[in-house]
Amino acid sequence: GENVGLHLPTLSVQEGDNSIINCAYSNSASDYFIWYKQESGKGPQFIIDIRSNMDKRQGQRVTVLLNKTVKHLSLQIAATQPGDSAVYFCAEIYYNQGGKLIFGQGTELSVKP
Amino acid sequence: DAGITQSPRHKVTETGTPVTLRCHQTENHRYMYWYRQDPGHGLRLIHYSYGVKDTDKGEVSDGYSVSRSKTEDFLLTLESATSSQTSVYFCAISETPGIGGYTFGSGTRLTVV
């Protein structure tokens, strides 16, 4: 079924530490995944995406890992900063349904100074 | 967010009244989506559009209708608002699903009393 979810609803880290946010998905046919960041009172903001023919993709301070065997995604944030405090969502695409995104419930990241 | 505007930003309405939310884009993207966001549910797709006059239902379409008479505008109508439709509504646009991220608007906070 359509199920994209996150293992932990909240994550608290110390400024400067690395953060890892996890996501499980159930649709083995999904081939495109996106991570979004949402700050309070704002819409989701694109962070990074990855296709199923890759197992790792890096951006600026962020890395997404994809493990298709266990249907698991993770978002790693290096040297976490107070400005990284937000809710993070993973999403998978359904091409046969207008390219809709199915979102996980989100993980709230809190960065302690 | 650049290129996408939602209006109104906030609205309070009474149960049983019709309400229309507007999403306006200046990016000339083909695909437009309406999502609602509720605590514990993440973002859920209401309706989407893949072109002018081309729309389809999402996961939570009951009680909602949409219209897209021109590329830049996608309207969401609550035919007879209920308290269960109190939520934050987000519009998103995409040029080509699966290529690049989707851009979200800033949201409309709707309260039905």
Side-chain angles (χ1 to χ4, degrees), chain A residues 34-102:
Chain A
I34 307 175
W35 279 100
Y36 282 92
K37 172 186 180 183
Q38 186 177 25
E39 297 173 288
S40 181
K42 297 183 179 180
Q45 178 185 3
F46 173 87
I47 302 173
I48 192 167
D49 58 2
I50 189 167
R51 298 198 174 279
S52 60
N53 61 352
M54 306 170 70
D55 53 19
K56 180 179 180 179
R57 191 170 188 211
Q58 289 185 290
Q60 188 177 15
R61 280 200 309 116
V62 295
T63 300
V64 55
L65 300 178
L66 175 62
N67 185 330
K68 294 180 287 294
T69 302
V70 296
K71 291 184 284 189
H72 183 268
L73 272 167
S74 68
L75 176 71
Q76 300 178 0
I77 305 173
T80 313
Q81 302 168 1
D84 294 326
S85 293
V87 177
Y88 290 82
F89 295 92
C90 66
E92 61 180 321
I93 189 172
Y94 281 67
Y95 288 108
N96 63 349
Q97 296 179 46
K100 73 175 185 180
L101 294 176
I102 298 295

Side-chain angles (χ1 to χ4, degrees), chain B residues 53-104:
Chain B
K53 292 186 171 30
D54 292 323
T55 65
D56 207 345
K57 297 179 179 180
E59 310 157 76
V60 291
S61 60
D62 288 348
Y64 301 95
S65 63
V66 290
S67 67
R68 191 161 176 208
S69 59
K70 44 187 178 177
T71 299
E72 56 265 36
D73 288 325
F74 192 31
L75 304 180
L76 177 70
T77 297
L78 286 65
E79 294 141 10
S80 178
T82 66
S83 59
S84 65
Q85 293 176 312
T86 292
S87 187
V88 181
Y89 292 85
F90 287 99
C91 176
I93 60 174
S94 172
E95 184 172 19
T96 305
I99 299 178
Y102 297 54
T103 303
F104 281 79

Side-chain angles (χ1 to χ4, degrees), chain B residues 11-24:
Chain B
K11 185 170 181 66
V12 180
T13 192
E14 293 186 348
T15 299
T17 61
V19 178
T20 295
L21 309 182
R22 181 187 186 223
C23 178
H24 178 78

